[in-house]
Amino acid sequence: MSTLPHVLGLRCRECGARYPEAPQYVCDECFGPLEVEYDYDYIRAHVTRERIASGPWNLWRYADLLPVAADKAVGIPSGFTPLLRADRLGRALGLKHLYIKNDTVNPTYSFKDRVVSMAISKAVEFGFDTIGCASTGNLANSVAAHAARAGIRAFVFIPSDLEWAKINASLVYGPTLVAVDGTYDDVNRLCAMLADEYGWAFVNVNVRPYYSEGGKTLGYEVAEQLGWRAPDHVVVPMASGSVLTKITKGLDEFKKLGLIDNRPTRVSGAQAAGCSPIVNAFVQGKSHAEPVKPNTIAKSLAIGSPADAPYALRIFRETGGAAEVATDDEVIEGICLLAETEGIFAETAGGVTIAVLKKLAQSGRIAPDEVTVAYVTGNGLKTSIVLEGRLAEGLHIKPTLRSFEAALSERQERQAA
Ligand SMILES: *Cc1c(COP(=O)(O)O)cnc(C)c1O
Ligand SMILES: [Zn+2]
């Protein structure tokens, strides 16, 4: 079905069996997950830094390495978000070359716009008229928005205990939102059945091989924005583990294609202590994760049965990276530390990343000289409920000079006490 000269088809990540392009995600031979396979010789002969740099200011500048043609793209142009030098945060943590990849400023304020861009474009190309997802919150926002702009029907499925800000940030685009009494893993199982039953494209189920490729652009962008070089160390939040594996794949592809030097990148992963199946397996030296029942304020990362765990675990081993957890209190401290030092308001997943970055730096698992990139993947306005009662309150005054001065000196006295 592929008309793209650089795409060969789908290939099983476990047994290597090959399939033509289709809305299929499991291998018929071994039930392993399928992945898009590319013709790297073809890509090497066509792609250059100049060709990429002259592309649009969004993720479609990397269309030569993606499974969708730029002129078939539907939804909202996403990506090419800022990579910021974080000198003040770096000084606080003892890191000399720290950067934040600020993916809070995507169209629906999380990195999910990248993966949805791939999935919805491919779903329309396959002829689907309805798109759906199993979501921990951000994915539902993104699917609803991109479907609205593409003019197709959306059904978004979420666990019923999500933050109201994330529920409204889906409903506003007019999808059918389905709140399910259960965990994300329950929602995901239901959606696998619905995909078969109704013949809809579920972005992270039956078109998952295309969906996940969108995560590679977070690797490409960082390399291009660093002046065409790989970082020495990246810290990535993990739910299913997919985006961590795809950032790694993106950097590896740039190295393989000669777009950047073959400098190694250590890849480290971050999870919330209340949902850390991948980190648990890493600490125990296992190659597979045992499922857990999530209990954390980092709801966007609350996947108890992470599909990409074995691949993430292999990446930590092969790159010399680490994996660490953050407690709920550390998540809130991480959100505040990033906000106070760099002016970036991240959601709970960003708090997880910054808290883990801090632990890795303080324990020497990130060296002070490493060029380090922390991925901040979602916006704090959607989870600001977790900060209630946790921030220094503002002053409340009458509209007079006296009232202001009284309130200010009262506050200064309180701080001195
Ligand atoms: C979904 C999500 C992630 C991680 O997703 P993976 O399933 O590991 O690819 C990270 N941060 C935010 C804010 C998310 O919404
Ligand atoms: Zn297989």
Side-chain angles (χ1 to χ4, degrees), residues 104-187:
T104 71
V105 297
N106 269 308
T108 69
Y109 312 103
S110 87
F111 100 91
K112 291 298 196 299
D113 291 318
R114 299 175 182 275
V115 286
V116 171
S117 294
M118 294 306 123
I120 193 168
S121 302
K122 207 66 199 182
V124 168
E125 194 182 315
F126 282 136
F128 288 97
D129 62 5
T130 303
I131 190 160
C133 67
S135 173
T136 56
N138 285 318
L139 185 58
N141 300 168
S142 184
V143 164
H146 286 252
R149 190 157 196 265
I152 70 172
R153 221 158 48 129
F155 281 79
V156 300
F157 294 77
I158 55 168
S160 55
D161 70 347
L162 279 195
E163 303 94 342
W164 64 263
K166 274 188 181 150
I167 294 174
N168 284 345
S170 287
L171 287 174
V172 70
Y173 304 110
T176 301
L177 178 136
V178 186
V180 180
D181 291 328
T183 64
Y184 169 82
D185 298 282
D186 297 325
V187 176

Side-chain angles (χ1 to χ4, degrees), residues 81-408:
T81 55
L83 180 74
L84 298 164
R85 251 199 96 96
D87 288 336
R88 279 171 46 79
L89 179 59
R91 260 198 303 282
L93 302 182
L95 298 174
K96 291 189 194 132
H97 309 288
L98 177 63
Y99 294 81
I100 300 293
K101 180 60 170 167
N102 183 9
D103 237 25
T104 71
V105 297
N106 269 308
T108 69
Y109 312 103
S110 87
F111 100 91
K112 291 298 196 299
D113 291 318
R114 299 175 182 275
V115 286
V116 171
S117 294
M118 294 306 123
I120 193 168
S121 302
K122 207 66 199 182
V124 168
E125 194 182 315
F126 282 136
F128 288 97
D129 62 5
T130 303
I131 190 160
C133 67
S135 173
T136 56
N138 285 318
L139 185 58
N141 300 168
S142 184
V143 164
H146 286 252
R149 190 157 196 265
I152 70 172
R153 221 158 48 129
F155 281 79
V156 300
F157 294 77
I158 55 168
S160 55
D161 70 347
L162 279 195
E163 303 94 342
W164 64 263
K166 274 188 181 150
I167 294 174
N168 284 345
S170 287
L171 287 174
V172 70
Y173 304 110
T176 301
L177 178 136
V178 186
V180 180
D181 291 328
T183 64
Y184 169 82
D185 298 282
D186 297 325
V187 176
N188 193 42
R189 263 188 303 276
L190 172 65
C191 287
M193 291 189 273
L194 292 171
D196 285 344
E197 191 70 27
Y198 288 84
W200 297 339
F202 276 81
V203 299
N204 55 340
V205 182
N206 50 349
V207 288
R208 187 174 178 87
Y210 300 97
Y211 161 97
S212 56
E213 288 294 288
K216 295 195 303 184
T217 60
L218 270 174
Y220 301 150
E221 286 179 19
V222 159
E224 183 179 353
Q225 290 169 321
L226 283 173
W228 299 101
R229 59 152 283 175
D232 300 322
H233 208 137
V234 295
V235 180
V236 185
M238 301 184 291
S240 71
S242 172
V243 72
L244 179 137
T245 68
K246 295 297 174 164
I247 288 170
T248 312
K249 183 179 180 185
L251 291 169
D252 285 347
E253 285 178 337
F254 263 24
K255 292 170 192 177
K256 178 152 64 180
L257 293 166
L259 290 167
I260 57 175
D261 281 354
N262 215 353
R263 164 201 309 270
T265 303
R266 297 208 283 160
V267 179
S268 292
Q271 290 198 297
C275 182
S276 56
I278 306 178
V279 180
N280 296 351
F282 174 76
V283 171
Q284 294 163 9
K286 293 190 183 146
S287 56
H288 288 83
E290 293 292 329
V292 302
K293 193 166 183 348
N295 178 19
T296 168
I297 59 169
K299 294 181 193 289
S300 58
L301 301 182
I303 296 186
S305 189
D308 283 80
Y311 309 109
L313 290 162
R314 194 182 302 161
I315 286 169
F316 305 142
R317 275 199 308 277
E318 286 177 359
T319 68
E324 235 329 330
V325 298
T327 64
D328 284 354
D329 279 342
E330 289 168 340
V331 170
I332 289 170
E333 282 167 31
I335 291 172
C336 294
L337 179 63
L338 178 65
E340 288 166 11
T341 54
E342 299 297 338
I344 296 169
F345 186 16
E347 71 146 272
T348 45
V352 169
T353 303
I354 299 305
V356 165
L357 174 75
K358 181 175 171 182
K359 287 185 178 177
L360 297 182
Q362 289 180 341
S363 61
R365 284 173 286 174
I366 299 176
D369 284 329
E370 285 185 294
V371 172
T372 300
V373 175
Y375 284 89
V376 172
T377 47
N379 195 295
L381 289 172
K382 293 193 206 180
T383 62
S384 66
I385 184 107
V386 303
L387 297 176
E388 269 181 29
R390 305 295 293 250
L391 303 174
E393 275 183 38
L395 305 177
H396 188 171
I397 63 167
K398 299 271 175 316
T400 65
L401 195 57
R402 276 235 341 252
S403 181
F404 173 68
E405 284 170 349
L408 192 61

Side-chain angles (χ1 to χ4, degrees), residues 1-3 7-11 18-28 34-37 67 119 122-123 125-128 200-203 205-211:
M1 140 116 209
S2 176
T3 48
V7 177
L8 296 174
L10 297 175
R11 186 166 184 272
R18 293 199 161 85
Y19 299 88
E21 285 207 69
Q24 180 180 351
Y25 64 112
V26 236
C27 177
D28 295 335
L34 303 184
E35 185 168 46
V36 179
E37 187 179 27
K122 207 66 199 182
E125 194 182 315
F126 282 136
F128 288 97
W200 297 339
F202 276 81
V203 299
V205 182
N206 50 349
V207 288
R208 187 174 178 87
Y210 300 97
Y211 161 97

Side-chain angles (χ1 to χ4, degrees), residues 11-17 19 26-34:
R11 186 166 184 272
C12 175
R13 286 167 95 174
E14 289 301 317
C15 76
Y19 299 88
V26 236
C27 177
D28 295 335
E29 312 284 327
C30 78
F31 302 108
L34 303 184

